[in-house]
Structures are given as structure tokens and as C-alpha cells.
């Protein structure tokens, strides 16, 4: 069983701060890593994907991957109230087409 | 405008009834998926299909059935054998964004099923 672990939170940060979301995974051969944002009552929306070690930046979002430590994180700079949502981490192994999801971290940005 | 559509948005089922949830995509993606999400929980895979006329069971396939007769369509039937079907059902497809690059998974808007 491939496991993806996230701290369920809730995580609260003040507006303008950096929010840091973490995810660990058990399968060492995982290749692709994804962060989804899910607003209450809505479907998940892909916000970041990362495939190699290091940092990947897209606007206010930075994904960080460390395959040796089996760790992927998402940083949200200058957090806004509109960032308040649940963030899902997903992992896809080298083989097969399945994706494995964590249970999500709830983020609240306080104005 | 490319995307994934699911219908209906809300569905109410009486006990003992079978219901079918629709999922259509015009992204030209080969792989399609059905997930179930319960309150406060992650996504659990019901079925997935890598290609037309082929599909595999996921972690919680009991009480569900699917078909994949066309690349664009992957309907899910929730049968009366599914004992606790009330949940949020999400359809997804996997492929390159805008036809380029790595394969990523994208979700439809979901169907919320309630058993009365």
C-alpha cells in the first residue's frame, strides 16, 4: 500500500504570511508529485506539479521536492484569505496510472 | 473550451435503486478515473480506465460498475449493492495539459449523491 501522509491541520496563518504545507510518501519509486487546492464543496484544482528534486516556483506558490527524504512541500507566499482551502498532496509512481492522495491539510488565512 | 463535465451536480437516490453518474471529457485524454470523497477524508479510487474498452478496479470497487465504450465518456453506476453510497463523486482524466508536457490529472466538478 502506497501511503501519502499530510498533517490534517487546521493550519492558520495571518494574511501576508508564508504558509507551509508538508507531505511525506512511502513509495521510493514515486516519480510525479502534485498539489491540489480544494475549496469547500468544490472539486480539487491542480495548482502545482513537480518531477525533479529542488524547488519549482509559480507565482506565489513554490513546490519543494526531496526524493531522498521522500518529502514534498508547498509554500504559499503573501497568503491571502482566498487561499483558505484544503490542500491535497498526490503522488504517482513510476509505473502504472494510479495516483495516491493524502487526506489534505486545511488552511485558513486570517485577514 | 476543453474540460471535464459531470452530471448531474446533485443526485438523490432511494434505497434499492441503481443510478448512473455521467462523466465526459474533450481533452483527448486516454486515462479516466472515478473517486469517492467522504467528509473530512481523502480521495478513494473506485475504478480507472487507461484506454477504451478496458478498466481496472480501484480500492473500493464493490457495489460500483463502469463502462468505457468511447474515449470521451466514462460513466459510473452506483448499484443497490453499495451499502453506503452517500458521498461526493469525482471524475478525473489524465493527460498533458494543453496537449504538451507531462501527464497530469484533472478533475471534473463532481456529483454529490445522497441516498434518501
Amino acid at each position: 500500500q502506497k501511503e501519502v501522509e499530510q498533517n490534517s491541520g487546521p493550519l492558520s496563518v495571518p494574511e501576508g504570511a508564508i504558509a507551509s504545507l508538508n507531505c511525506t510518501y512511502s513509495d521510493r519509486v514515486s516519480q510525479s508529485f502534485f498539489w491540489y487546492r480544494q475549496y469547500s464543496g468544490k472539486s480539487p484544482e491542480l495548482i502545482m506539479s513537480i518531477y525533479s528534486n529542488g524547488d519549482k516556483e509559480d507565482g506565489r506558490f513554490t513546490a519543494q521536492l526531496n526524493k531522498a527524504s521522500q518529502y514534498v512541500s508547498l509554500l504559499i507566499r503573501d497568503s491571502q484569505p482566498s487561499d483558505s482551502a484544503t490542500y491535497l498532496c498526490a503522488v504517482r509512481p513510476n509505473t502504472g496510472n494510479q495516483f495516491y492522495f493524502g487526506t489534505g491539510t486545511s488552511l485558513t488565512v486570517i485577514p | 473550451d476543453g474540460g471535464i463535465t459531470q452530471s448531474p451536480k446533485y443526485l438523490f437516490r432511494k434505497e434499492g435503486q441503481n443510478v448512473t453518474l455521467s462523466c465526459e471529457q474533450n481533452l483527448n485524454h486516454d486515462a479516466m478515473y472515478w473517486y469517492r470523497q467522504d467528509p473530512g477524508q481523502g480521495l478513494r479510487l473506485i475504478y480507472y480506465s487507461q484506454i477504451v474498452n478496458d478498466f481496472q478496479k480501484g480500492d473500493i470497487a464493490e457495489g460500483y460498475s463502469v463502462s468505457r465504450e468511447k474515449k470521451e465518456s466514462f460513466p459510473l453506476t452506483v448499484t443497490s449493492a453499495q451499502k453506503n453510497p452517500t458521498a461526493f463523486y469525482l471524475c478525473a482524466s489524465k493527460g498533458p495539459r494543453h496537449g504538451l508536457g507531462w501527464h497530469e490529472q484533472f478533475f471534473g466538478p463532481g456529483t454529490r449523491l445522497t441516498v434518501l
Side-chain angles (χ1 to χ4, degrees):
Chain A
Q1 179 73 20
K2 297 174 173 57
E3 294 186 352
V4 180
E5 300 284 343
Q6 294 182 255
N7 187 329
S8 62
L11 173 66
S12 294
V13 299
E15 183 174 355
I18 296 175
S20 178
L21 305 163
N22 304 315
C23 174
T24 59
Y25 59 95
S26 62
D27 183 7
R28 289 189 172 273
V29 298
S30 290
Q31 180 184 41
S32 310
F33 306 86
F34 308 90
W35 283 100
Y36 290 84
R37 177 177 62 200
Q38 186 174 24
Y39 292 115
S40 180
K42 302 295 185 182
S43 63
E45 174 192 7
L46 179 66
I47 55 172
M48 288 289 285
S49 55
I50 186 166
Y51 306 98
S52 56
N53 280 327
D55 294 359
K56 179 182 177 182
E57 186 173 317
D58 184 0
R60 295 186 296 111
F61 299 100
T62 299
Q64 299 175 319
L65 175 62
N66 184 326
K67 290 188 178 182
S69 300
Q70 297 176 234
Y71 177 94
V72 58
S73 65
L74 180 70
L75 301 178
I76 307 174
R77 292 182 301 281
D78 188 23
S79 295
Q80 301 297 310
S82 60
D83 295 326
S84 298
T86 296
Y87 289 80
L88 301 173
C89 172
V91 172
R92 185 167 79 88
N94 277 347
T95 58
N97 278 298
Q98 288 198 50
F99 292 73
Y100 297 88
F101 286 82
T103 55
T105 297
S106 174
L107 171 68
T108 299
V109 180
I110 303 167
Chain B
D1 188 23
I4 304 169
T5 58
Q6 291 186 243
S7 62
K9 186 174 180 179
Y10 298 97
L11 184 59
F12 298 90
R13 190 195 93 170
K14 294 181 180 179
E15 289 203 23
Q17 279 184 336
N18 292 355
V19 292
T20 297
L21 282 57
S22 169
C23 177
E24 303 277 334
Q25 55 98 1
N26 61 3
L27 299 167
N28 199 33
H29 289 172
D30 286 315
M32 297 185 73
Y33 305 77
W34 275 105
Y35 293 91
R36 168 180 173 147
Q37 188 176 39
D38 294 280
Q41 297 193 28
L43 303 179
R44 292 187 289 168
L45 182 65
I46 304 172
Y47 269 99
Y48 68 102
S49 168
Q50 300 184 59
I51 199 169
V52 173
N53 293 323
D54 181 65
F55 47 83
Q56 287 82 42
K57 293 182 179 180
D59 300 321
I60 56 165
E62 185 176 351
Y64 300 97
S65 66
V66 293
S67 63
R68 187 82 187 279
E69 297 176 0
K70 298 187 301 181
K71 187 176 186 177
E72 301 80 17
S73 178
F74 191 39
L76 173 74
T77 297
V78 184
T79 75
S80 57
Q82 169 51 236
K83 297 306 178 187
N84 186 22
T86 295
F88 189 38
Y89 289 87
L90 291 158
C91 178
S93 69
K94 179 181 74 71
R97 199 192 306 238
H98 309 305
L100 298 173
W102 291 79
H103 286 204
E104 299 170 328
Q105 187 174 70
F106 303 94
F107 286 87
T111 292
R112 197 166 297 277
L113 173 63
T114 303
V115 173
L116 303 174

